[in-house]
Amino acid sequence: MLVFIISGLVILAYCSQASNERTYQEVVWAVCGKLTGVLCEVAIAVYTFGTCIAFLIIIGDQQDKIIAVMAKEPEGASSSPWYTDRKFTISLTAFLFILPLSIPREIGFQKYASFLSVVGTWYVTAIIIIKYIWPDKEMRPGDILTRPASWMAVFNAMPTICFGFQCHVSSVPVFNSMRRPEIKTWGGVVTAAMVIALAVYMGTGICGFLTFGAAVDPDVLRSYPSEDVAVAVARAFIILSVLTSYPILHFCGRAVVEGLWLRYKGMPVEEDVGRERRRRVLQTLVWFLLTLLLALFIPDIGKVISVIGGLAACFIFIFPGLCLIQAKLSEMEEVKPASWWALVSYGVLLVTLGAFIFGQTTANAIFVDLLA
């Protein structure tokens, strides 16, 4: 999976240079045409919307445990004060912090929180590994499954992997912001970044599962006792990371919605500056309230990730594959070298893999719930 994921990032950088475009959706528009470009923009809007819901659920998961310690509530208490209710705490945090951060037109100030977010991610992984090596006495693992129920069950992990490694939408502007945007340098950068992410995910996933076995919560930090101070700090880091990540994802989604609206109305951006602020505030409020409402009534983050993970496969595999195919087909050479056919075949492979993951995820989301 990692080989395909990294190659998708390199393909996008190549197509960005060839088309002289600086965002993901603009590259797809320029290389693949109007229809694919519109589908890409709609997919980005839906994906960022779903991810914002997941972020709010994560905030609720971590706050539940932190508030239980602060309120000195026993684990599994049946009744609690209204101000510790999950719906209230998520709403309060969202209105106080996320909404004000989401309204501004630019998000350059968010860069100052990036360092803390990275440190927090490493801290969470370190704590989970340490807790596995030196577990607390009260933590007993459930059944440790050593193999899936069937070989098809292996593919159920793919949407989650895609969700975890999807950085492709923001990769194009990052590539163009490099001092010297070169494909070779970019390949080294994304390979190093993906290997670091792989180490974090494997440390967290493997040690978290071996600590709790089949009883592990989809949000692994919820499996640890509320009163554990080291884990409480990890929860605080996760909340901080999510508080700064929501506005960034919302910004990407809002930009796509704004572009679709202006294109539909036939209004150039530079001629519609006077109404921009009113539209931006309205779009932000509608987006914020809808994601908050859905997060309050979808308590399981696994359900959200399983759905939007399929869309992540589109950004990782399908659109880069289509861009590679179109870029190669546009070359006017009469005699195609072997490398040309190899690249076109690789593009077809990416599209096929992405379509398989997206189709499987969509089928699970529709039919599994219906059968249940």
Side-chain angles (χ1 to χ4, degrees):
M1 289 287 283
L2 204 61
V3 171
F4 293 125
I5 290 168
I6 292 172
S7 67
L9 291 165
V10 175
I11 290 168
L12 289 169
Y14 167 78
C15 292
S16 174
Q17 274 194 339
S19 63
N20 199 30
E21 298 292 351
R22 301 180 65 86
T23 67
Y24 189 101
Q25 61 268 25
E26 288 171 354
V27 168
V28 175
W29 262 86
V31 178
C32 298
K34 179 179 179 180
L35 177 60
T36 308
V38 171
L39 289 174
C40 176
E41 290 187 326
V42 172
I44 290 175
V46 174
Y47 177 82
T48 51
F49 185 82
T51 306
C52 287
I53 296 173
F55 284 163
L56 290 171
I57 294 173
I58 292 172
I59 290 175
D61 289 346
Q62 310 315 320
Q63 285 182 330
D64 287 347
K65 291 286 188 176
I66 294 175
I67 291 172
V69 175
M70 296 175 65
K72 297 182 179 179
E73 295 179 2
E75 291 280 348
S78 58
S79 61
S80 57
W82 62 269
Y83 52 83
T84 63
D85 180 75
R86 177 188 177 93
K87 291 184 174 63
F88 174 76
T89 57
I90 293 177
S91 301
L92 182 65
T93 303
F95 275 101
L96 287 180
F97 298 103
I98 292 178
L99 182 57
L101 290 173
S102 300
I103 291 178
R105 183 176 183 178
E106 302 295 336
I107 54 172
F109 63 92
Q110 295 282 0
K111 63 185 179 182
Y112 300 109
S114 298
F115 178 74
L116 280 178
S117 297
V118 173
V119 171
T121 302
W122 278 103
Y123 177 83
V124 171
T125 302
I127 287 298
I128 291 174
I129 294 174
I130 291 170
K131 291 292 182 181
Y132 166 66
I133 299 173
W134 296 288
D136 297 337
K137 293 180 180 179
E138 63 270 19
M139 291 195 306
R140 293 190 178 92
D143 296 331
I144 304 295
L145 305 177
T146 57
R147 64 186 63 205
S150 68
W151 70 271
M152 281 297 293
V154 174
F155 295 104
N156 292 333
M158 284 190 173
T160 304
I161 294 173
C162 291
F163 178 75
F165 282 98
Q166 197 291 120
C167 58
H168 295 57
V169 172
S170 56
S171 69
V172 178
V174 171
F175 169 72
N176 286 286
S177 69
M178 293 173 63
R179 187 177 304 170
R180 299 174 68 180
E182 298 174 352
I183 302 298
K184 186 177 180 180
T185 305
W186 176 249
V189 169
V190 297
T191 300
M194 292 299 104
V195 170
I196 292 171
L198 178 67
V200 170
Y201 288 142
M202 289 187 69
T204 304
I206 293 172
C207 293
F209 176 71
L210 292 178
T211 302
F212 300 102
V216 69
D217 193 277
D219 183 343
V220 66
L221 290 181
R222 294 189 66 185
S223 298
Y224 293 92
S226 299
E227 61 274 8
D228 192 312
V229 176
V231 177
V233 174
R235 294 189 181 105
F237 268 122
I238 291 296
I239 291 174
L240 175 64
S241 177
V242 171
L243 284 176
T244 57
S245 298
Y246 181 108
I248 295 173
L249 264 294
H250 163 259
F251 175 83
C252 296
R254 188 181 69 199
V256 169
V257 172
E258 174 77 352
L260 285 170
W261 171 255
L262 291 178
R263 201 174 291 113
Y264 171 74
K265 300 294 288 186
M267 297 184 296
V269 176
E270 59 269 15
E271 293 183 12
D272 200 52
V273 176
R275 301 178 185 176
E276 184 275 332
R277 177 177 173 79
R278 185 168 56 187
R279 280 200 318 273
R280 170 163 44 90
V281 173
L282 179 61
Q283 290 166 358
T284 300
L285 285 174
V286 172
W287 183 288
F288 170 79
L289 292 174
L290 285 176
T291 54
L292 177 60
L293 185 65
L294 289 170
L296 296 180
F297 294 97
I298 307 176
D300 185 359
I301 189 176
K303 294 183 182 299
V304 178
I305 291 177
S306 66
V307 174
I308 60 179
L311 277 176
C314 296
F315 304 127
I316 295 174
F317 304 116
I318 295 180
F319 290 122
L322 290 174
C323 286
L324 180 60
I325 294 170
Q326 289 294 331
K328 291 288 127 183
L329 289 178
S330 64
E331 294 179 358
M332 302 302 292
E333 301 173 6
E334 292 185 6
V335 179
K336 308 296 185 186
S339 60
W340 185 92
W341 292 104
L343 289 171
V344 171
S345 300
Y346 187 74
V348 173
L349 175 62
L350 285 178
V351 174
T352 304
L353 178 59
F356 171 77
I357 297 174
F358 179 74
Q360 181 216 22
T361 305
T362 305
N364 285 344
I366 294 173
F367 294 116
V368 171
D369 287 342
L370 288 176
L371 291 174

